[in-house]
Amino acid sequence: MPKADVWWVELGSVPLEPMLAWLNDEERDRWSRYLKDDDKQRFLLGASLSRAIVARELGIAAADVPLERHCSRCEGPHGPVTSPLPGAPKLSVTHAGELVGVAASVDGLVGLDVEPSSRAPLKNLNVVFGPDEIAGITRAGGGAEPFLRMWTRKEAVVKAVGVGFMVSLPNVVLTGPAAAPRLLGWPADEPGADRYPAEMRMADVQAPRDHVGAVAVVAGRSAGELHVVQHNGADLLTSAIPA
């Protein structure tokens, strides 16, 4: 059974100053260019929590964990967070409002998304969803809940693959919001159309502070149902900061 651990932390819940020393030069430059304090906090917490998770898995100090970001399309220094250390879990970072989350899995590439339940649905659903998905949202009553359930599932899938919203989202076909999450189809002109629907494992999560979330792991054709365990990221970060 594939597993994903998800760690949540809220802005203002841990001291930030000690974790600035964990950033590499590229990250520190990116952090300094954020204009809003909340954006600085989100980036720092995502990077620090990623390091703390890898450190916990490998039994080393968080400050000693290297992180990398490489875009699969342009090779730029952005995109999914990874650690090159042997045995490090795959990672996925998300944030919404005052909540930051990081998913980790040793069973395959992982994607995590979270949205506040108060977020309004898109006016033009066909920008993101295909006809069957829109019909499923309508059958589920429309409104925010079924929309967010489908939105977070779809974003978790494309984040697990590492392409984000650069693919044709209506051609990333999922089961409807009333059904268990499953990937039914992948864009035919994208790498992975022959494998991702069979290898993707997904789960919905009820995140803290009334947020909706979803996790996806590329776990293999023979993998069982995805098991997700949620944790307090503030506790992990606090324990990772040297006394």
Side-chain angles (χ1 to χ4, degrees), residues 137-229:
I137 292 173
T138 301
R139 285 194 301 271
E145 199 284 329
F147 163 76
L148 290 173
R149 187 61 63 198
M150 293 295 291
W151 175 277
T152 55
R153 290 175 179 181
K154 186 159 292 196
E155 186 156 353
V157 166
V158 298
K159 289 176 72 173
V161 175
V163 295
F165 283 1
M166 293 182 288
V167 300
S168 171
L169 294 176
N171 290 322
V172 179
V173 183
L174 305 176
T175 50
R182 188 160 62 92
L183 178 63
L184 301 177
W186 187 255
D189 59 346
E190 289 285 336
D194 60 337
R195 56 181 290 248
Y196 289 138
E199 297 183 16
M200 194 73 65
R201 296 296 180 270
M202 304 174 63
D204 298 324
V205 294
Q206 185 59 50
R209 295 178 61 90
D210 198 24
H211 283 63
V212 176
V215 185
V217 174
V218 185
R221 295 174 184 270
S222 61
E225 182 179 353
L226 178 63
H227 178 55
V228 178
V229 180

